[in-house]
Amino acid sequence: MIDRPWLAHYPTGVSPELEAVPYRNLPELLHRASTAHADAIAFTQCMPNGMNGSLRYRDVDAHADAFAAYLREVVGLKAGDRVAVQMPNCLSYPIVAFGVLKAGCVLVNTNPMYTPSEMIHQFSDSGAKVLVVIDMFADRVPEVLAATSITTVVTVKISEFFPPVVAGVIRLVQKVWNRSLPKIAFEHTKFRAALTQGRERRTDAGSDAYLEGIGPDSLAALQYTGGTTGVSKGAMLSHGNLVSNTMQMLAMCDAFIREGKEVVLTALPLYHIFAFTVNLLGFYDRGARNILIPSPRPPSNLKRAFENYKITWLTGVNTLFNALLNERWFSETPPRHLVASAAGGMALHQSVAEKWRTVTGTPIVEGYGLTESSPVLSFNPLGGTVKDGTFGIPVPSTDLRCVGDDDKPVAVGEPGEIIARGPQIMQGYWQRDADSKDTLKGGWLHTGDIGVMDADGYFTIVDRKKDMVLVSGFNVYPNEVEEQIAAVPGVTEVGVIGVPDDKTGEAVRAYVVAGSPATTEADILAYCREHLAAYKVPRSVVFVDELPKSPIGKILRRELRTLTESATTSRKDAS
């Protein structure tokens, strides 16, 4: 028996079990939305200077059908073949992603900033046959082609589908001022040409023929992740996984994501599973207008989007919300139409959540998930009891537990590894049976995260198993220390790791980005001594200009550890 105290805390009207999913696969979900909202604007790409282009639902649907036909009729792909997609947020992304799914093929999302070696690993591991790549980064492709099974390359412009004059200006800036367009010396097909070829070869049966046999258990995407340990692996997400998770997320937010009325700002990259499921699939299903930001850095890149569109929803990570709060243009004129914001990807600092509510006058809720869970497992219930510092309660049809090393549940309030089960849990890791068995045990996904559950069934992340710092035999969780340091006036960002120490085994070190007015090491340590046990107080504070981050803005502790190791090695060499 599973103890589910969270069942008493679902908002009114939210069922603890997901209703029967009405779609066999993702294209069925997409088709319903495209038909129901055909004339509405689906996507608007907003550049930092405000230049923009838009596509309506009917256009996205038609272009996706054409691309599906291109893949099957022109390239000759079969159901289940993998297609790598490597581009930032832009109007072409949903067309390509939806087209791959409509073709019955498997989407392989790829970070456009990857180096050739990272691309080679992912494309070789997945066995991708087609690469759709933004042309700004096409100079990396020749090295990759020689080492992978990719036979077809389609190149995309960042200004695709913009009005002709605006697109011309953007292209001119790229070529002349930024010099950001490398010469493409390998065989490739331009995206518009691929769509034309697809339309010409599309059969009367259309996408229906490509989806014969594509059901809930069919593979939809290989989403690469470091997993709980080790080298990057492809999480096998099925159509059923992604449809279920979309429905689970919408069920929990039903009253707050209104059909045909929302305008969601998508600053997180769509190739990341958080934005892919929540922003792309979830808000598309509800007929929202999605404002795509190609790059959210610096945060001023979002200024014109907030000024020009009536943003009702924002999803992000702690660093994005914190960065916006430190922008004068945002804090002095916060968005007037905002309904709610959702945080994930990393812990949302309580000080950031409180300031966000004060500045915007709207709720912000924290959720939790992994690539391996499509990704949403839980979040604080909008319309219900929100507990800051927790990531809320499990979404419908999902069970969470905190367990010890023996996989048995620990007592309420005691830390243990979070394990999860539900219809959104991946099928396993692509061609990695041993890793799959280690992660999926007894029908439960073992997350590698340490958390606690309170008496009401709300969960709190303590930290990653591998990030825990052991000081004189005591466990120190970096999240807890970061939370306190983030509350110190003058601290913009903070990352905490453990470093070797002769006396205590490990010691806590904080890397801090100072704001204005700047803080000092003495200020930080004094605050920590007041709010933390002595063994948790940092032994050292290092001020840096910036912290290493992932594409979604998550602070990368492993790179902080690398910095520390490099500095230690340099000192040894010097001596």
Side-chain angles (χ1 to χ4, degrees), residues 422-435:
Q424 70 273 51
I425 303 301
M426 69 171 182
Q427 297 177 325
Y429 293 117
W430 177 255
Q431 297 181 335
R432 295 180 185 272
D433 291 342
D435 288 326

Side-chain angles (χ1 to χ4, degrees), residues 426 428-429 432-442 444 446:
M426 69 171 182
Y429 293 117
R432 295 180 185 272
D433 291 342
D435 288 326
S436 299
K437 289 177 182 178
D438 286 344
T439 303
L440 299 172
K441 293 183 285 189
W444 293 80
H446 287 61

Side-chain angles (χ1 to χ4, degrees), residues 86 111-116 119 137-145:
Q86 192 173 25
N111 185 343
M113 299 303 293
Y114 269 179
T115 63
M119 293 163 66
F137 303 132
D139 56 332
R140 305 168 192 170
V141 173
E143 181 179 345
V144 172
L145 292 177

Side-chain angles (χ1 to χ4, degrees), residues 82-86 96 100 106-110 122-123 126 128-133 150:
R82 276 77 63 202
V83 178
V85 178
Q86 192 173 25
V96 172
V100 171
V106 177
L107 180 67
V108 182
N109 275 315
T110 307
Q122 187 160 314
F123 300 162
S126 66
K129 295 182 178 180
V130 176
L131 169 63
V132 186
V133 62
I150 289 173

Side-chain angles (χ1 to χ4, degrees), residues 458-514:
Y458 284 69
F459 287 78
T460 303
I461 281 285
V462 179
D463 233 309
R464 295 288 295 170
K465 268 186 173 182
K466 62 185 179 183
D467 287 338
M468 185 181 70
V469 184
L470 197 62
V471 179
S472 298
F474 293 98
N475 294 341
V476 178
Y477 299 102
N479 274 342
E480 181 183 10
V481 182
E482 289 172 356
E483 176 78 36
Q484 296 302 327
I485 296 176
V488 177
V491 171
T492 300
E493 292 180 341
V494 56
V496 167
I497 61 169
V499 296
D501 185 270
D502 292 337
K503 294 182 179 180
T504 59
E506 284 188 297
V508 176
R509 172 174 293 173
Y511 287 86
V512 171
V513 177

Side-chain angles (χ1 to χ4, degrees), residues 281-294:
L281 299 180
F283 280 91
Y284 194 87
D285 179 77
R286 286 294 169 92
R289 183 177 185 175
N290 210 314
I291 311 300
L292 303 178
I293 306 297

Side-chain angles (χ1 to χ4, degrees), residues 26-27 30 96-105 107 211 220-221 239 276 281:
L26 283 168
L30 299 171
V96 172
F98 295 171
V100 171
L101 296 170
K102 286 187 171 197
C105 296
L107 180 67
L211 296 173
H239 285 265
F276 183 82
L281 299 180

